[in-house]
Amino acid sequence: LYTPSFSSSLSFPPPYFGVPHRSVRMAMPSLKLTPTSSFLSITVWMLLLGLSASLPSLHSRLTPVRTSLLGKWALTEKGGKGREIAATLPGEVHTALHTAGVIPDPYYADNVTALQWVRWADWTYARTFSPPSLSSSSSSSTAASGGKHILVMDGIDTVAHVVLNGEVVAKVDNSFRQYIVDVSAHIQHGLNTIELQFFSAAAYAEEKGKAYPYSVPGFDAIYGGDAYRNFIRKSQCHFGWDWGPAFETMGVYGQIQLLSIPLSSMSMLDMYVDVSNDARPTLPAHAKCPTCDVADLSSLTTFTISGDVRVVEGEDFTADMWDRMEVEGVMSSRGGEESFTFHIGKGKMRSELSHPHLHSHHGCTGVEGKKCDQLITVLPFRIDIPAKKVKMWYPAGYGDQPMYDFSVLIKAKDTGGSAEEVVSSLTQSIGFKVSEVVTDPLHDGKTFFFRVNGIPIFAKGSNLIPFDSFESKVTKERVYSMLESAKKAGQNMLRIWGGGIYQREDVYKYADENGLMLWQEFMFACALYPRNQAFLSSVYDEVQYQVRRLVHHPSIVLLSGNNENQATAQSAGDLYVVDYSQLYDDTVMTAVRSVTRSTSFWPSSPSNGAMVDDMEDNMYIQMWGDSQSTRYGDIHRYDYFDDCLDVSLFPTPRFASEFGYQSHPSKTTYTAAIPASQLHINSSLLQKRNHHPDGDEQMLAMASRYFPLSSLPLTSPTHFDDVIYIYQLTQALCMRAETEHYRRHRSNSTAYTMGTLYWQLNDIWQAPTWASVEYSGNWKMLHYHVQDYYSSLALSVYKSGEEVVVYAHNDELDTAECEVKVEVYNDKLEQTHTAAFTHTAVRLSSEKVGSITIGGGDHLVALADAVCTKGGKSEKQALPRASSLIGKAPSARASCTKVKLETTDMPLAKEGEQTSAKLRLSSPSSLALFVAIQSSQPGVFSDNGFIMKQGEVVEVEFEPVSSSSSASATPQFSLFCL
């Protein structure tokens, strides 16, 4: 995780982990912009914070060197209980033990129970290394006289002592922080030994929790974890969740690097970049509603790039060396069309200040063993760029995502003052947008929606959980595949849920380049937390570090305090409300605002937001009360007991950030983890894997409302696929009904609903969960339905009393003219009613198209189709077919003989081991409901779970998941329908 690449020892990696600093706000000098024929030259006067950044010559032996200590290590259980085994970092104890054959696959069968002993043991990783030679002559027994050596670490999971040549140089207890240690006095010439002595996270959390002066509600351990997870800063879902196992990993998922700097040299450590603007979006005078009109951005004149570069100097680096240095910045568009260059002038020295209430030490976060200002100096910068000179970044569906590379280079002149050599450089990717969370007063409450570049965006997305219990198993390919699944399904926002980790750089890079907006939570979930000084101090450092690391990404549109903790604090009593306020208002939000004021902040999810948020007066007061209020903010809703297709039961919130229903993954996904004898719905192993209390009973009860499951032997492995089909179909129908209900209230002045983020996008292992994409990469039927009902121009149809009602949803910037046809079929699959409508789908709106009266009878399904033209063009576009189950199916037998399936091209294409296929389906006899194709290997169809009318022909493509172990095999297909 977070493994940067760099082309040479002169160019250091991008600052994925910008170390936080606590700085006094200071006015920056204004910029002078001088355009030229090929680029804009920007003269930027910057404050030099103790920076002495130069080299006395261009000799290569004075070049700083960054050495990665990842790779091969040795792992042993402390206390000599086991043999030494080979291990790799990044990695975890579990993955090392499994690779060495000491333990079986942690995900297979019930191994999660058998392997609980691993989390209670202490473990040591060890390796040797030789530091780079920084001096041609040194008689000392240590290398300290040859230069300065800084150990930079992040993603250390979680409680560990870092031991260098027998001496403890750092004590680590927060997996979300970066740690910086000056180890110059401990480095030796030649071979050095470094150890990471890990202590049981479970034992550490329990010790801290029991020693605390009062009980802090955290966890009831029903998922196999521990009740004290809230006392340790590591991924909270490592302790088990209702969708995942409890492994409580130990290891490294980030970086361990040795930065070696010659005595008379210097090096940039990291860079933090924030982009703000002077826009004041205003609605036009003729505006109809806040959620359907584009705001005026004529006030936008300037984008401001601000931030800092942090520098580490060698022991003999002197101030006069600055005279032979040049510090240059360059910003260029990815296409190379334009570039900006700026030069740094000399400025005043400035030291960093700590948070006065949380920290007794003076200096910046992460530094171990000495004051920060004795180790790091800071160069802040501020650049004003005319808005007309850059291209704006837009969410998916509303424009392009132009990205710019922003670089800072430090160059050394030769003794003649002419030739230059790049000594150190850093680059960040940035984008330019005007983003805000709009919470304007209404006659009843406040709005809550995202407006980007003046456009009110209906957020269509899902919640992202960690990709795996073991981060070392997550690859860039796997990340991109999952996020591509979200994008293909019409999603424009993901909520990075607060019970996991701050995600790897791949997630943010993909989101930047593909227009996925990110709702980034801080890592607190479903618990209350302590407020002793040590805990708050660690959290403050964590938040500053992560915000500095992430805020340059244009995809991040919201920073949010936690998941579901506000309501928990209120229900727990006044003591815990004080705890909550000190943690989130005084610590988390204060840390956020010390780094950025350009990214919107939301206190919790769900939440009513802020009653007062005055950044000038540094005043922030949350709006306490019912955090599930539909008049303010966002809500989380789960209802497993009532009729999920009865739209009258759904609320009309401003924003639904969590809602969902469970289903089982496919047999194809299960096969990798579940023995064949346990592959039936009522098996003891599958029931144990469903950590949601009464989850199996709830799935059965909901499916039984719409399908006569008595006709299926649930315990029979023979009918396992049929039962999974019914369960997945039930999930898809429930989610479609609720999501479309929320979309219908976009233009409703009593609701102005502007977002649906369903729970959840992905799975962390093979189990019954709420996910729409399985652990293997398979799409559940839900995800195919999401692909249809999240379409930017779509229909929805539902039953209300004795009427069938159809709506049109247009999230696009063009108005559409549509011809709409509605049909109703009975339980014999005979058409009983039909109607046609002409409708103008106004841009950025959801409006009723019409309705038909159907009266009583055995009605089963309603369908709606449309063909539209947009923007005055003649080209016609067929919308995805909308459907609604309005009665109970006469049978649950899912074998599909009425549809003919043939493979028309196998393989369609072959790339390495991956084979694609093209399928042709025809339904000559009668209506075929929810036709689903299943493959013998994991993969994604271009469409699935659809309704076919009599005589229709559908062509579908299948693309295997490339990471699948069976991707080289020829897939076999089976068919299900009603």
Side-chain angles (χ1 to χ4, degrees):
L1 181 60
Y2 313 137
T3 305
S5 60
F6 36 100
S7 57
S8 73
S9 61
L10 299 180
S11 180
F12 293 137
Y16 299 157
F17 312 111
V19 179
H21 73 280
R22 309 174 196 100
S23 60
V24 177
R25 293 281 168 181
M26 301 182 66
M28 298 290 183
S30 60
L31 304 179
K32 183 180 180 181
L33 302 178
T34 307
T36 66
S37 59
S38 60
F39 63 91
L40 291 176
S41 176
I42 304 176
T43 302
V44 184
W45 293 101
M46 309 173 74
L47 295 178
L48 180 64
L49 305 185
L51 177 67
S52 303
S54 178
L55 294 178
S57 75
L58 295 178
H59 200 287
S60 60
R61 69 182 178 84
L62 296 177
T63 300
V65 179
R66 191 174 296 229
T67 305
S68 173
L69 297 181
L70 298 177
K72 296 181 179 180
W73 291 63
L75 176 66
T76 56
E77 184 179 356
K78 291 181 70 174
K81 298 179 183 179
R83 73 179 191 274
E84 180 182 288
I85 64 170
T88 301
L89 294 180
E92 301 83 16
V93 170
H94 290 83
T95 53
L97 294 174
H98 180 221
T99 301
V102 177
I103 64 172
D105 180 357
Y107 276 6
Y108 192 75
D110 193 30
N111 288 341
V112 62
T113 301
L115 297 178
Q116 289 302 297
W117 64 271
V118 176
R119 67 189 175 101
W120 290 105
D122 298 334
W123 302 86
T124 297
Y125 284 88
R127 66 162 290 171
T128 58
F129 69 95
S130 296
S133 176
L134 300 178
S135 174
S136 59
S137 62
S138 177
S139 58
S140 172
S141 62
T142 72
S145 60
K148 181 176 288 185
H149 299 273
I150 309 298
L151 195 61
V152 183
M153 304 172 290
D154 58 76
I156 309 298
D157 185 16
T158 294
V159 185
H161 288 174
V162 182
V163 180
L164 183 59
N165 297 322
E167 297 289 333
V168 177
V169 295
K171 296 180 179 180
V172 177
D173 62 3
N174 186 331
S175 67
F176 304 132
R177 283 179 55 189
Q178 186 182 57
Y179 291 85
I180 302 169
V181 190
D182 186 348
V183 295
S184 304
H186 304 279
I187 288 285
Q188 301 175 358
H189 287 298
L191 211 59
N192 289 255
T193 299
I194 185 171
E195 294 181 349
L196 301 178
Q197 298 178 353
F198 282 97
F199 302 94
S200 166
Y204 172 92
E206 182 175 307
E207 178 185 355
K208 292 292 184 181
K210 289 183 176 179
Y212 203 70
Y214 55 87
S215 174
V216 181
F219 211 54
D220 54 15
I222 61 173
Y223 310 133
D226 302 293
Y228 298 101
R229 65 172 171 86
N230 48 338
F231 282 85
I232 188 171
R233 296 307 298 142
K234 77 182 263 95
S235 175
Q236 298 290 269
C237 68
H238 283 176
F239 294 80
W241 219 262
D242 50 6
W243 38 255
F247 283 112
E248 298 170 40
T249 56
M250 286 170 276
V252 176
Y253 62 84
Q255 273 289 347
I256 306 175
Q257 293 182 335
L258 183 70
L259 176 59
S260 302
I261 305 167
L263 291 172
S264 298
S265 183
M266 52 69 59
S267 174
M268 283 191 271
L269 177 66
D270 51 48
M271 178 171 65
Y272 137 70
V273 182
D274 189 20
V275 180
S276 58
N277 62 79
D278 63 354
R280 296 292 181 268
T282 56
L283 287 176
H286 64 274
K288 296 179 181 179
C289 71
T291 61
C292 58
D293 285 288
V294 177
D296 177 43
L297 289 185
S298 60
S299 62
L300 174 64
T301 63
T302 305
F303 282 102
T304 299
I305 304 173
S306 58
D308 63 53
V309 174
R310 305 201 323 156
V311 177
V312 180
E313 301 168 355
E315 294 293 343
D316 294 345
F317 195 85
T318 58
D320 61 347
M321 293 178 181
W322 168 248
D323 294 333
R324 291 165 59 190
M325 295 298 295
E326 289 289 339
V327 183
E328 184 179 78
V330 177
M331 188 189 78
S332 58
S333 59
R334 289 283 173 87
E337 298 89 355
E338 357 174 53
S339 69
F340 300 80
T341 301
F342 62 90
H343 302 279
I344 299 174
K346 296 178 182 179
K348 293 182 179 180
M349 306 279 286
R350 178 174 64 78
S351 63
E352 296 181 312
L353 301 179
S354 64
H355 188 289
H357 301 298
L358 298 179
H359 302 268
S360 57
H361 67 273
H362 175 74
C364 61
T365 59
V367 175
E368 297 288 303
K370 63 163 60 181
K371 292 181 179 180
C372 177
D373 56 2
Q374 294 175 350
L375 180 63
I376 296 174
T377 53
V378 181
L379 174 67
F381 53 81
R382 175 190 171 102
I383 307 166
D384 290 330
I385 299 178
K388 63 183 179 181
K389 298 295 183 181
V390 297
K391 297 178 181 179
M392 303 272 272
W393 183 97
Y394 284 86
Y398 295 94
D400 296 329
Q401 294 80 43
M403 297 294 295
Y404 293 78
D405 290 325
F406 181 84
S407 304
V408 173
L409 304 88
I410 298 181
K411 300 178 180 180
K413 299 179 182 179
D414 64 11
T415 53
S418 57
E420 294 181 342
E421 176 185 0
V422 176
V423 177
S424 184
S425 66
L426 292 172
T427 299
Q428 289 279 32
S429 60
I430 62 173
F432 297 92
K433 71 180 190 301
V434 177
S435 174
E436 57 182 331
V437 175
V438 182
T439 55
D440 290 340
L442 296 170
H443 66 280
D444 181 17
K446 293 182 178 182
T447 61
F448 179 83
F449 66 93
F450 295 87
R451 187 157 58 199
V452 181
N453 301 335
I455 304 171
I457 308 292
F458 191 102
K460 296 174 295 206
S462 55
N463 286 264
L464 183 73
I465 66 170
F467 295 92
D468 206 286
S469 294
F470 309 107
E471 278 298 314
S472 65
K473 294 172 63 177
V474 181
T475 63
K476 177 180 178 179
E477 178 187 53
R478 190 170 160 190
V479 169
Y480 274 36
S481 176
M482 183 61 64
L483 300 187
E484 186 69 15
S485 289
K487 181 183 176 183
K488 285 181 178 179
Q491 301 190 33
N492 59 25
M493 177 177 279
L494 294 176
R495 174 174 170 249
I496 300 178
W497 173 74
I501 64 170
Y502 302 96
Q503 276 295 342
R504 59 176 56 219
E505 181 68 12
D506 295 332
V507 171
Y508 305 98
K509 184 175 185 291
Y510 182 94
D512 287 346
E513 295 175 351
N514 291 274
L516 279 178
M517 298 179 290
L518 297 178
W519 173 319
Q520 173 68 61
E521 285 191 340
F522 294 101
M523 295 300 118
F524 306 89
C526 300
L528 299 178
Y529 291 84
R531 60 171 161 119
N532 56 300
Q533 181 172 334
F535 187 86
L536 295 181
S537 176
S538 183
V539 167
Y540 189 91
D541 291 349
E542 165 194 326
V543 171
Q544 274 201 329
Y545 163 63
Q546 292 293 345
V547 175
R548 282 175 56 94
R549 174 194 155 223
L550 297 174
V551 75
H552 68 94
H553 290 285
S555 54
I556 295 178
V557 295
L558 185 68
L559 298 170
S560 179
N562 62 75
N563 174 75
E564 298 183 354
N565 293 348
Q566 188 183 65
T568 303
Q570 289 186 110
S571 62
D574 292 345
L575 171 64
Y576 300 104
V577 170
V578 173
D579 287 356
Y580 180 96
S581 182
Q582 287 205 354
L583 175 57
Y584 298 109
D585 298 347
D586 298 341
T587 306
V588 172
M589 196 206 63
T590 300
V592 170
R593 293 277 168 84
S594 74
V595 178
T596 179
R597 300 193 174 196
S598 64
T599 304
S600 298
F601 179 81
W602 193 245
S604 178
S605 180
S607 173
N608 296 328
M611 183 174 69
V612 178
D613 186 5
D614 189 333
M615 284 188 277
E616 295 300 322
D617 287 342
N618 196 28
M619 190 178 196
Y620 187 89
I621 302 173
Q622 291 195 39
M623 186 182 298
W624 295 90
D626 181 9
S627 62
Q628 292 281 48
S629 171
T630 58
R631 303 302 91 193
Y632 301 91
D634 62 318
I635 69 163
H636 295 183
R637 180 189 183 272
Y638 296 94
D639 181 357
Y640 310 114
F641 308 102
D642 295 314
D643 183 353
C644 74
L645 304 184
D646 184 351
V647 299
S648 68
L649 300 177
F650 298 139
T652 53
R654 307 294 187 216
F655 198 107
S657 54
E658 275 194 32
F659 59 100
Y661 300 87
Q662 281 195 318
S663 73
H664 282 271
S666 64
K667 184 178 178 180
T668 302
T669 294
Y670 266 142
T671 301
I674 307 299
S677 62
Q678 291 288 312
L679 288 176
H680 59 89
I681 292 298
N682 286 346
S683 76
S684 59
L685 183 55
L686 291 192
Q687 289 184 342
K688 189 170 185 178
R689 284 215 166 198
N690 193 342
H691 292 176
H692 175 54
D694 302 321
D696 294 290
E697 292 82 357
Q698 291 166 3
M699 281 191 290
L700 176 62
M702 191 65 76
S704 298
R705 283 181 177 271
Y706 316 112
F707 308 101
L709 294 185
S710 58
S711 61
L712 284 179
L714 299 181
T715 59
S716 170
T718 305
H719 293 281
F720 189 48
D721 286 326
D722 300 275
V723 178
I724 289 176
Y725 166 80
I726 294 296
Y727 277 26
Q728 286 200 9
L729 175 56
T730 301
Q731 179 194 35
L733 295 175
C734 291
M735 292 296 287
R736 175 186 280 273
E738 187 163 356
T739 306
E740 290 178 338
H741 166 80
Y742 295 140
R743 287 196 73 178
R744 285 192 288 269
H745 287 80
R746 170 178 187 149
S747 305
N748 180 352
S749 62
T750 64
Y752 288 139
T753 303
M754 281 295 285
T756 58
L757 306 179
Y758 68 84
W759 188 267
Q760 65 206 62
L761 174 63
N762 58 314
D763 263 336
I764 202 170
W765 72 333
Q766 308 93 333
T769 72
W770 295 256
S772 64
V773 181
E774 300 169 8
Y775 180 76
S776 66
N778 259 2
W779 288 15
K780 287 182 180 177
M781 198 185 305
L782 167 59
H783 207 78
Y784 293 102
H785 279 240
V786 171
Q787 182 176 237
D788 287 346
Y789 64 67
Y790 266 174
S791 176
S792 58
L793 183 59
L795 300 176
S796 68
V797 61
Y798 68 100
K799 184 174 180 290
S800 177
E802 295 188 348
E803 287 187 330
V804 166
V805 185
V806 62
Y807 266 69
H809 315 289
N810 187 359
D811 294 333
E812 300 180 359
L813 293 174
D814 287 327
T815 292
E817 301 294 336
C818 301
E819 298 297 325
V820 181
K821 182 180 180 180
V822 181
E823 300 169 89
V824 178
Y825 291 80
N826 63 19
D827 57 6
K828 296 181 178 61
L829 304 183
E830 300 167 337
Q831 186 187 92
T832 60
H833 299 81
T834 184
F837 304 92
T838 298
H839 179 73
T840 299
V842 177
R843 71 173 192 164
L844 304 176
S845 69
S846 289
E847 296 177 329
K848 182 178 177 179
V849 173
S851 62
I852 56 175
T853 301
I854 61 173
D858 297 324
H859 305 299
L860 179 60
V861 65
L863 309 180
D865 292 278
V867 175
C868 304
T869 59
K870 295 185 293 185
K873 299 178 181 178
S874 59
E875 181 181 355
K876 294 183 178 180
Q877 173 187 343
L879 303 191
R881 177 169 289 158
S883 64
S884 178
L885 193 69
I886 58 176
K888 187 166 184 176
S891 173
R893 293 285 179 175
S895 57
C896 192
T897 58
K898 67 179 73 176
V899 176
K900 182 180 179 181
L901 171 67
E902 52 186 331
T903 304
T904 61
D905 199 348
M906 173 75 82
L908 173 67
K910 189 169 185 177
E911 299 177 3
E913 298 295 327
Q914 190 169 339
T915 303
S916 303
K918 182 177 287 186
L919 309 175
R920 186 175 187 272
L921 295 87
S922 55
S923 176
S925 58
S926 66
L927 186 73
L929 299 180
F930 311 115
V931 179
I933 319 164
Q934 181 174 297
S935 170
S936 59
Q937 67 182 69
V940 175
F941 296 91
S942 57
D943 198 4
N944 215 349
F946 44 82
I947 292 176
M948 296 181 67
K949 295 180 182 179
Q950 182 177 351
E952 284 188 337
V953 174
V954 177
E955 290 190 345
V956 175
E957 291 187 14
F958 172 77
E959 189 74 23
V961 175
S962 59
S963 60
S964 167
S965 61
S966 60
S968 60
T970 300
Q972 303 298 312
F973 302 103
S974 52
L975 205 58
F976 302 86
C977 69
L978 295 177

